[in-house]
Amino acid sequence: MSDPGNYAGSTDRSIGQLVASATAEMSALVHDEIALAKAEVRQDVKRGAIGSAAFIAAGVLLLFTMPMLSFAAAYGIHNLGLGLAWSFLIVAGAFILLAALIAFIGLRKFKKIKPPEKSIASAKQTAAVLQKAKPHPRPSIEAAAIIERSAVSGSSLAKKSIESGSGQDKAGSVARSST
């Protein structure tokens, strides 16, 4: 940011010029802060994308190694003297138990999920404040002005109310209902 004392004739500047200068400098500062935030977010998103791609690649490689490990485990059990079919069944049973354990852990974690209590409380508080708030009072339109506008537009209701003398009451009720 620039120093206001460096301007030629800075002591002769009016209050309006000082306010305009401060506003321009504040605007530039806000724009620079927004640009910095955008750059930081872009950099974090790029890092996150590269990290996600690395995890996906690792998961795919692990997925491709599972059949090899399964065959190795089954043939290892077979070398201990068990039949080949029983060896594959034991490995399959181990995978089923492992899947059940992981599902149980996941289910317990899902049960611990709670609604966003702070956000809900804040929203309820805001709604309560807004319900108690009164709208900004609008200036009411005088009944005579409503009757004149209706008469100019050729409304038969306005003509009847003018003739019957009850135009003031009806126009007042219209004015109250329109606010």
Side-chain angles (χ1 to χ4, degrees):
M1 225 174 3
S2 61
D3 184 21
N6 292 339
Y7 291 124
S10 64
T11 57
D12 297 337
R13 295 170 65 187
S14 69
I15 292 178
Q17 291 171 332
L18 291 173
V19 169
S21 173
T23 303
E25 289 178 10
M26 186 63 92
S27 176
L29 178 65
V30 168
H31 286 288
D32 290 344
E33 290 293 327
I34 291 171
L36 177 63
K38 283 181 181 179
E40 288 177 348
V41 167
R42 264 191 228 112
Q43 189 176 24
D44 287 343
V45 167
K46 185 177 179 182
R47 286 181 185 152
I50 291 171
S52 297
F55 274 120
I56 290 170
V60 168
L61 288 176
L62 185 63
L63 184 65
F64 287 151
T65 61
M66 291 303 294
M68 296 297 175
L69 291 174
S70 299
F71 279 109
Y75 281 111
I77 294 172
H78 176 64
N79 284 339
L80 294 176
L82 220 54
L84 193 56
W86 287 109
S87 299
F88 276 99
L89 282 174
I90 290 171
V91 171
F95 280 138
I96 289 172
L97 288 175
L98 183 63
L101 177 68
I102 292 171
F104 176 71
I105 291 170
L107 185 62
R108 284 185 48 196
K109 293 293 182 184
F110 274 126
K111 285 185 177 180
K112 289 183 180 180
I113 295 174
K114 297 177 183 173
E117 295 169 358
K118 290 180 181 179
S119 298
I120 292 172
S122 175
K124 286 181 180 178
Q125 184 181 12
T126 302
V129 168
L130 290 177
Q131 285 178 349
K132 293 177 184 175
K134 299 195 186 233
H136 184 66
R138 296 181 194 161
S140 63
I141 302 173
E142 292 184 23
I146 293 174
I147 293 172
E148 285 179 27
R149 267 193 256 149
S150 298
V152 168
S153 65
S155 171
S156 60
L157 177 64
K159 290 178 184 176
K160 289 179 184 175
S161 63
I162 291 172
E163 291 170 359
S164 66
S166 63
Q168 297 289 344
D169 295 335
K170 288 183 182 179
S173 66
V174 169
R176 282 189 296 276
S177 67
S178 65
T179 57

